[in-house]
Amino acid sequence: MMNNHRSFVCGIKGKKLSDEERKFLIKYKPWGIILFSRNIKSIKQTQILTNSIKKIFKNPNYPILIDEEGGRVTRLNRFIDNSIFTAKYFGDLYKVNKSKFKIYFSIYVKQISYLLRTLGININSVPVLDIKRDKSHNIIGDRSYSSNKKIVSEIGDICIKKFHNNRIATIIKHIPGHGLAKSDSHKKLPIIRNKVDYLLNNDFKTFKNKNSLLAMTGHLLFTNIDSINTATHSKKIIKLIRNKIGFKNLIITDDLSMKALRFPLKENVKKSFLAGCNLALHCNGNLKEMLIVAKNSPKIDKFIIKKTSQLSHIIS
């Protein structure tokens, strides 16, 4: 069904498809679309938008993504206020009272999934599996479940399973681990100097054995693994994600227009695929930039087609 599609995911500018965007989608066929608050005004309007996208590709299971972490990363605040439901909120509850956590978290995921499905969205970019550090940049902060790697990993498993049970696919992030970052990768490249053994036992460990269909890279420089290339652009890191962390599904880049990446957009796209990422992500809905991403993204290969068919099993 998706044979001619290209290996990228992009945003759109507004609350409905413009004629230019429609032509762009028909011509370049991205693997998926990601929605932000700017695209969401009402339930009806969002349904019309997601239906219009699915209609272009004649595919009711066409991938439509969103970042709905709860807390400060929410795109649904027009309908619901889940600002108290940060990952930290659930991590703290888990530590104090596991049975209460199970009830609260189940209800939370069920409600969010119901709303996403109602809106025509089928992939949520959770869980955040980064380990919280007090001395690190607040970009992760309360988006992390805990500073305890075991808790992060356990809630991660529960989160993926519960979303799958509610027919929403997940994206674990930010692989191989963003928790040690001392800067915000939206603005500049975080440099992490910790030893490989430490990383494998801590930050990278929370991503092991995760049953998620997708994993999103972090734009991070791990000097002891690859002192030149950001994780998203590093063959060594992608190989480590595949072999040491053991993630065997689709790897999607974090947003390629973030400032942590030092090359022009075209290079950023090409380098991601050369490193071994499967899908390129571009978020801001700028059509000029989207054209650069589209033209430099290859057609999806057999691996992506196979994994995408697994998506249909989760969401339908």
Side-chain angles (χ1 to χ4, degrees):
M1 212 167 198
M2 292 192 64
N3 291 6
N4 293 328
H5 286 252
R6 288 178 183 262
S7 309
F8 73 101
V9 171
C10 62
I12 53 169
K13 246 315 175 243
K15 301 194 171 43
K16 57 178 204 236
L17 288 177
S18 67
D19 290 343
E20 285 89 359
E21 286 169 336
R22 190 178 294 281
K23 284 178 194 146
F24 172 85
L25 295 184
I26 291 166
K27 182 170 183 184
Y28 292 105
K29 296 182 176 61
W31 180 85
I33 297 286
I34 185 165
L35 299 183
F36 289 89
S37 304
R38 66 174 185 262
N39 309 120
I40 297 171
K41 185 184 177 187
S42 72
I43 289 184
K44 190 87 195 107
Q45 164 270 326
T46 311
Q47 288 173 329
I48 293 167
L49 172 61
T50 54
N51 281 332
S52 69
I53 294 165
K54 290 170 184 177
K55 222 170 248 162
I56 289 174
F57 303 115
K58 301 178 181 62
N59 181 1
N61 292 332
Y62 180 76
I64 297 186
L65 297 70
I66 198 163
D67 285 327
E68 188 52 45
E69 297 176 11
R72 61 196 150 116
V73 180
T74 176
R75 316 295 183 210
L76 304 177
N77 43 3
R78 294 272 168 93
F79 323 123
I80 52 166
D81 175 11
N82 62 355
S83 53
I84 71 156
F85 298 117
T86 59
K88 181 184 182 297
Y89 170 89
F90 286 116
D92 291 347
L93 189 59
Y94 185 83
K95 222 164 36 186
V96 181
N97 186 335
K98 276 204 180 65
S99 54
K100 195 170 172 184
F101 161 84
K102 277 185 180 143
I103 298 164
Y104 280 34
F105 195 63
S106 276
I107 294 168
Y108 172 77
V109 173
K110 200 174 182 175
Q111 297 300 329
I112 295 294
S113 303
Y114 175 75
L115 189 47
L116 296 181
R117 288 199 316 270
T118 302
L119 295 170
I121 296 162
N122 46 32
I123 303 176
N124 191 11
S125 61
V126 292
V128 173
L129 298 178
D130 304 316
I131 300 171
K132 185 182 183 312
R133 300 296 200 306
D134 291 334
K135 289 193 168 65
S136 294
H137 192 280
N138 192 36
I139 187 61
I140 299 300
D142 62 5
R143 296 168 65 197
S144 167
Y145 293 115
S146 178
S147 50
N148 177 328
K149 61 187 174 190
K150 201 164 169 275
I151 291 177
V152 173
S153 181
E154 285 170 8
I155 300 181
D157 287 329
I158 295 166
C159 178
I160 293 161
K161 192 175 178 191
K162 287 202 182 298
F163 272 106
H164 283 189
N165 289 346
N166 285 283
R167 308 206 318 273
I168 298 287
T170 56
I171 309 176
I172 55 176
K173 62 189 187 188
H174 304 83
I175 207 165
H178 207 301
L180 287 161
K182 297 272 197 290
S183 58
D184 175 356
S185 52
H186 292 87
K187 300 192 174 85
K188 64 183 238 191
L189 178 64
I191 295 168
I192 295 167
R193 304 184 192 279
N194 300 59
K195 296 272 193 298
V196 182
D197 282 353
Y198 175 83
L199 293 166
L200 286 168
N201 278 317
N202 292 280
D203 293 74
F204 297 179
K205 200 169 191 168
T206 55
F207 290 89
K208 282 195 90 149
N209 308 319
K210 290 293 170 275
N211 192 22
S212 181
L213 185 73
L214 294 120
M216 182 183 286
T217 62
H219 299 324
L220 311 154
L221 191 73
F222 293 94
T223 55
N224 282 307
I225 301 168
D226 187 333
S227 57
I228 298 162
N229 302 296
T230 313
T232 308
H233 289 160
S234 168
K235 276 185 184 158
K236 287 178 185 165
I237 300 264
I238 302 297
K239 215 168 158 179
L240 180 144
I241 290 169
R242 292 298 192 204
N243 301 336
K244 293 265 200 288
I245 293 174
F247 185 74
K248 299 295 185 225
N249 295 327
L250 296 172
I251 297 176
I252 182 169
T253 71
D254 203 346
D255 183 7
L256 291 177
S257 54
M258 282 161 67
K259 303 282 187 289
L261 301 176
R262 65 178 193 272
F263 301 101
L265 186 57
K266 182 178 174 180
E267 293 302 300
N268 284 338
V269 177
K270 287 187 153 175
K271 281 180 181 295
S272 303
F273 288 115
L274 279 172
C277 294
N278 305 111
L279 299 166
L281 174 66
H282 179 269
C283 293
N284 65 21
N286 175 327
L287 205 61
K288 259 199 186 126
E289 291 184 15
M290 282 154 65
L291 277 164
I292 296 170
V293 176
K295 287 175 178 168
N296 292 285
S297 296
K299 292 265 171 77
I300 62 174
D301 56 21
K302 281 188 183 130
F303 176 71
I304 300 175
I305 291 168
K306 182 181 142 195
K307 293 294 170 188
T308 308
S309 74
Q310 291 175 12
L311 171 70
S312 313
H313 297 313
I314 296 167
I315 65 175
S316 50

